[in-house]
Amino acid sequence: MPVPELTDKLEQALADFDKGVRYIYKQDEFEYRNDPTAVTGADSPVVETMSIDRDGWTPGVLEKIMWDRRKGSEQRQQWKRKQERVKRRLEGQEVSDSTTSYSGSSSESDIRVLGLNPGPFTLDGTNTYVFGNGERRLLVDTGDGEQPEYFDLLKQCLGGSRIDRILLTHWHGDHIGGVNRLLAMPEVVTPDCAVFKHPDPVDARDDVRAMLAQAVLQNRLRGITDSQLFAVDDIQLQAVFTPGHTDDHMAFIVTSDSFAKERLLLTGDLVLGRGTTIVSDLQRYMESLKTMLDTRPSALLPGHGPIISGSDGETPNAVRVIEGYIEHRNLRERQIIAVLSGEPPEAPPMPRNGGWRLEEVAAAVYPEITDPKVILAAQHNARLHLDKLVSDDKAEKRLGTEPAVELWALRDRQI
C-alpha cells in the first residue's frame, strides 16, 4: 500500500471535510469526492468505504459521511479525532478494538446503507441492509424517511435492480419511517413489493399507522413469525423473535452457500455496534439476548453502529459482544441489589420502611451522570432492573408516606 500517497490524499480530504466529502477507499487507491452520493461503477473492484468509526474498513458498505454544522464544536472535534485514528491506520500504526471488526461477510451480496440520520440515539445513523445480487433484492429496514439523500444513495446501490421485499425489525420511526416513500418509488421497488413486520398492538398507534399507511392502503403489509424464512438468490434470512427493545422486535439469521462457514446475525436494535441500547422489558430482553447467543453468530449486523466480526482466538467477537451485553445487565443488577442492601438516605418520605426512591437508586448506581436528560435515561434503566427484581421475587415495592411515593426494598430486608 503506497502509504505516503494515501496520507497526502487524506490530508487533502481532512482539509475539505467541512464540504461534506464522502471518502471511498479502494484496495489500491484512496479517493474522496465532493458529491456525497457518488458511488463506484458496477465494473469497479470490491469497494471498501471508509467508516469514520474507530479503526476499520467494512467491505460492501456504502456510506455518506456528513458534517452538520448545527451539531456544534463538540461533535466536530469527535469526528476529527476519529479521522485522526484512520490516518494513523493508513500510516501503519495499529489502532484496534478487541470487540469490533469491520470485515463483514465474505460475500458481495449484502450491502449496508447508512440511513444518514445521525443523532444521540441513532449513533451514526440507522443501518439498512440490502441482500441479493440479482434483479430483485431484499431490504431490511428503511431509515426514518426524512433524508432524501438516503433514497438517492439506496437507488445507486441497487444499480438497475429493485427491491421486492422489505423486512422491518421493529416499529421505531428510524427503522420504518421510509416505507411510504419507498413504495412511491417504482424505480426502486417492484410493483409487487411486500412489507413484512411482526404484528403487535403498537401498530394501532396513530404514528405507526401513519408510517405504514401506504403498505396497508396498497395491501402490501404482511406479518413475520418466529423462524419464518426469506430467500433471495443464494441468501437465506431466518426470523428470530427477540422482544425486549420493543415488543415486536425481530432479528434475522443470515446464511448463504457463498459464505457457508459464516453465520451472520442481523440484530436490529437489540444489540448495537457500539454502546448499549434502550430496553422496554428487561426480563424479555435478557431472554432474547440468550436466544441470540444460542445462534453462535460469526458476525453481527446491528441496527446502529459498525458491523462486528472477526474473532479473538476461537471465540467470535460477535459472541463476545452478546456475552458482554448479558454481563453488563447482570452487573447492573448486582449493583442495584448492593444499593438496596444498604441503609436508605434519611430524607422524605418518612418513615422509609427500609425502602429507596427510584431517583436515589439511579444516583447511587450512576454517580457519574450529571446531564438531566441522561439522568432520566438512567432512572429508566434502574426502574427496568427494579421491575425485574420484583418479577424474580428478589425485591418488592413499598409505599412511603408524607408524601406518598414508591419505595423499593429487597424482599428479605427487615423494616
Side-chain angles (χ1 to χ4, degrees):
M1 177 181 291
V3 172
E5 292 182 23
L6 292 179
T7 303
D8 290 341
K9 292 180 179 180
L10 182 57
E11 291 288 354
Q12 181 63 48
L14 286 168
D16 291 345
F17 188 54
D18 280 344
K19 300 177 182 177
V21 175
R22 177 170 178 266
Y23 305 93
I24 301 178
Y25 172 76
K26 293 201 287 190
Q27 290 182 348
D28 298 320
E29 65 179 311
F30 180 89
E31 57 183 333
Y32 61 93
R33 305 182 183 185
N34 286 325
D35 176 2
T37 61
V39 296
T40 56
D43 58 345
S44 300
V46 176
V47 175
E48 297 184 285
T49 303
M50 187 173 76
S51 172
I52 305 183
D53 236 330
R54 302 188 214 173
D55 60 324
W57 310 99
T58 308
V61 177
L62 294 171
E63 296 181 348
K64 175 181 174 185
I65 305 303
M66 300 171 59
W67 167 245
D68 184 345
R69 292 180 181 274
R70 294 172 298 176
K71 298 297 181 183
S73 60
E74 181 178 350
Q75 185 174 358
R76 175 182 172 83
Q77 292 303 316
Q78 179 184 8
W79 282 76
K80 281 195 170 182
R81 286 194 298 270
K82 290 179 179 179
Q83 281 210 341
E84 285 300 321
R85 297 185 72 181
V86 175
K87 178 181 176 181
R88 293 198 302 274
R89 183 181 179 93
L90 287 176
E91 292 173 343
Q93 301 178 30
E94 188 64 28
V95 182
S96 64
D97 187 310
S98 61
T99 64
T100 305
S101 171
Y102 294 80
S103 60
S105 77
S106 57
S107 170
E108 298 178 38
S109 300
D110 53 278
I111 300 174
R112 176 172 64 128
V113 186
L114 197 63
L116 310 184
N117 55 330
F121 294 104
T122 58
L123 304 182
D124 300 316
T126 303
N127 292 328
T128 71
Y129 295 90
V130 178
F131 293 94
N133 51 24
E135 294 183 0
R136 300 169 75 92
R137 307 288 181 92
L138 183 150
L139 175 69
V140 178
D141 287 338
T142 66
D144 63 11
E146 299 178 6
Q147 318 302 325
E149 300 90 346
Y150 164 73
F151 298 98
D152 294 337
L153 185 58
L154 177 62
K155 183 178 177 181
Q156 293 192 48
C157 293
L158 291 169
S161 302
R162 289 189 293 175
I163 296 164
D164 75 342
R165 278 163 296 172
I166 299 172
L167 311 185
L168 302 174
T169 57
H170 62 292
W171 68 267
H172 284 167
D174 57 318
H175 293 261
I176 72 171
V179 169
N180 288 339
R181 181 159 182 171
L182 279 173
L183 294 183
M185 300 177 68
E187 71 277 22
V188 174
V189 302
T190 61
D192 58 346
C193 177
V195 179
F196 293 83
K197 179 192 172 299
H198 183 69
D200 187 82
V202 75
D203 299 344
R205 277 179 37 165
D206 289 344
D207 57 340
V208 179
R209 289 176 61 188
M211 289 184 286
L212 297 174
Q214 288 303 312
V216 174
L217 183 64
Q218 300 177 32
N219 195 29
R220 298 187 187 215
L221 187 61
R222 308 285 186 270
I224 302 178
T225 58
D226 188 40
S227 299
Q228 185 172 348
L229 292 174
F230 300 88
V232 54
D233 299 321
D234 68 339
I235 298 176
Q236 297 81 42
L237 289 84
Q238 181 179 0
V240 184
F241 184 47
T242 49
H245 174 70
T246 59
D247 290 343
D248 64 338
H249 196 279
M250 281 285 180
F252 298 93
I253 299 170
V254 184
T255 57
S256 173
D257 293 339
S258 62
F259 47 94
K261 295 183 178 181
E262 300 177 48
R263 186 180 180 87
L264 313 182
L265 181 62
L266 198 155
T267 64
D269 281 5
L270 205 81
V271 173
L272 306 183
R274 182 174 67 250
T276 55
T277 191
I278 295 173
V279 177
S280 63
D281 185 324
L282 186 57
Q283 189 83 39
R284 301 181 82 188
Y285 178 74
M286 296 298 289
E287 293 170 357
S288 292
L289 285 177
K290 293 174 183 176
T291 298
M292 281 190 168
L293 187 60
D294 289 343
T295 68
R296 308 301 293 181
S298 59
L300 302 180
L301 311 182
H304 304 276
I307 291 170
I308 297 170
S309 59
S311 64
D312 183 6
E314 295 183 358
T315 304
N317 288 330
V319 171
R320 292 184 183 275
V321 166
I322 299 173
E323 291 174 337
Y325 264 63
I326 294 172
E327 175 54 27
H328 170 74
R329 293 294 176 177
N330 287 337
L331 172 62
R332 284 285 183 254
E333 181 171 303
R334 293 194 295 270
Q335 290 173 330
I336 289 175
I337 289 175
V339 169
L340 297 182
S341 298
E343 290 296 328
E346 294 183 3
M350 300 299 288
R352 277 305 186 103
N353 296 329
W356 290 67
R357 297 180 64 171
L358 172 64
E359 298 86 348
E360 296 164 346
V361 174
V365 175
Y366 302 95
E368 73 284 359
I369 295 178
T370 58
D371 185 315
K373 292 182 180 179
V374 184
I375 288 174
L376 291 176
Q379 292 174 359
H380 170 73
N381 281 336
R383 178 177 285 277
L384 289 170
H385 281 279
L386 289 167
D387 287 340
K388 180 177 181 295
L389 287 172
V390 170
S391 177
D392 293 341
D393 207 28
K394 296 179 181 179
E396 62 184 5
K397 293 181 184 179
R398 295 173 180 172
L399 183 64
T401 58
E402 299 179 7
V405 66
E406 281 185 336
L407 298 173
W408 306 80
L410 294 181
R411 180 165 289 278
D412 59 357
R413 182 179 176 81
Q414 297 299 315
I415 297 177

